[in-house]
Amino acid sequence: MSDEGIALAYDDVTFRYPGSRGDVLSGVSMAVPAGAFALLVGGTGSGKSTLLSLAKPQIAPAGDRAGQVRVFGRPVDELDGAEACEVGYVFQDPDNQIVCDSVWHEMAFGLENLGTPQGEMRRRVAEVSYFFGMGPWFHSDTDALSGGRKQLLALASTLVMQPRVLLLDEPTNDLDVETLSSLEAALLEFPGCSVVISHDRMFLDRVATHILAWEGTDENPGNWYWFEGNFEQYQENRVARLGEDAA
């Protein structure tokens, strides 16, 4: 597949935190096609959040990195200004992302910083808020929102920027059924590439088209496996490769 058909690519990416004795990531490679929904799965401390953040240099941690991350063929380090908005990132804890006092201002914040004309900004905010059914709480203060609504607001304010690649760290945590349904609908409607960290088995089975799974051990902590298919198919593949006990 050509670079044009690949939305997000990791090419032999290695990463080590300052002062660490070993790499948290070692030679990780994957190529996520445009329109795909890829899931990162693995145990706590396997490096999933670090891997995801390296595709968004503005929030990536300090450390020694080798390899390259590319968005539609371009190194992410070369994207700045409006181009940097091609990669949208939704944090695990929405309180780490929400910076404005009102829902409206949070939705418009990124567009205002880019100097988006008022008419265009209002149109995009209205479209996304309507999709999420935010009308009843659109003029609320952000600190008055429930955790689920904050999570939707974080996603909505990211989608307003019209990213081509969407990165989400544990987006289903603490969501009620209705809010989870809205989240899934938004992700399935998203025309770009999505990469998500999740431990929610039902969510994994419903939405995944590709899996990047940590299969590391103490002896080989950097072992990742790239699989094209949903989570159930990956589990079957894992058993076939590693046996029932290992899987």
Side-chain angles (χ1 to χ4, degrees):
M1 186 178 293
S2 68
D3 272 352
E4 186 61 30
I6 298 296
L8 179 65
Y10 285 71
D11 298 328
D12 200 26
V13 171
T14 296
F15 183 84
R16 177 178 296 193
Y17 284 103
S20 173
R21 294 184 178 180
D23 298 330
V24 66
L25 300 169
S26 179
V28 180
S29 296
M30 68 174 178
V32 187
F37 197 115
L39 289 162
L40 305 185
V41 297
T44 301
S46 58
K48 301 184 302 298
S49 294
T50 301
L51 181 67
L52 201 68
S53 69
L54 293 179
K56 186 75 172 175
Q58 295 83 355
I59 64 168
D64 298 323
R65 191 186 86 184
Q68 192 174 77
V69 183
R70 294 177 289 113
V71 172
F72 288 96
R74 291 192 60 188
V76 293
D77 294 331
E78 295 180 3
L79 304 178
D80 57 15
E83 290 180 328
C85 296
E86 291 189 2
V87 181
Y89 193 102
V90 180
F91 289 83
Q92 181 175 349
D93 183 352
D95 286 329
N96 291 333
Q97 183 166 347
I98 295 173
V99 297
C100 298
D101 293 334
S102 72
V103 172
W104 155 253
H105 283 106
E106 182 65 28
M107 294 276 287
F109 180 74
L111 296 175
E112 288 177 334
N113 285 342
L114 289 179
T116 306
Q118 284 286 323
E120 172 69 6
M121 180 176 66
R122 292 180 181 277
R123 181 188 66 79
R124 285 162 65 170
V125 169
E127 285 181 352
V128 175
S129 61
Y130 177 79
F131 179 86
F132 281 109
M134 297 167 64
W137 46 281
F138 186 66
H139 296 288
S140 300
D141 292 337
T142 53
D143 60 6
L145 299 179
S146 66
R149 285 183 173 178
K150 285 183 178 180
Q151 191 71 21
L152 280 187
L153 174 59
L155 176 59
S157 60
T158 301
L159 291 177
V160 159
M161 305 303 294
Q162 297 182 341
R164 302 175 75 189
V165 173
L166 185 61
L167 312 173
L168 303 100
D169 192 348
E170 294 284 4
T172 65
N173 280 0
D174 302 321
L175 297 188
D176 57 44
V177 174
E178 182 178 353
T179 308
L180 179 58
S181 178
S182 297
L183 171 69
E184 288 189 14
L187 296 179
L188 292 173
E189 288 284 334
F190 181 63
C193 148
S194 301
V195 183
V196 181
I197 296 171
S198 180
H199 293 94
D200 184 332
R201 175 58 188 265
M202 294 182 66
F203 179 73
L204 298 176
D205 283 339
R206 285 193 296 264
V207 300
T209 62
H210 296 69
I211 305 288
L212 182 66
W214 183 74
E215 295 184 350
T217 62
D218 290 340
E219 294 76 23
N220 185 17
N223 186 30
W224 292 79
Y225 186 78
W226 178 238
F227 179 77
E228 296 187 15
N230 64 26
F231 188 71
E232 182 178 1
Q233 292 167 336
Y234 161 71
Q235 290 287 74
E236 294 171 354
N237 171 274
R238 182 178 169 91
V239 169
R241 287 184 294 111
L242 304 178
E244 290 282 355
D245 292 340

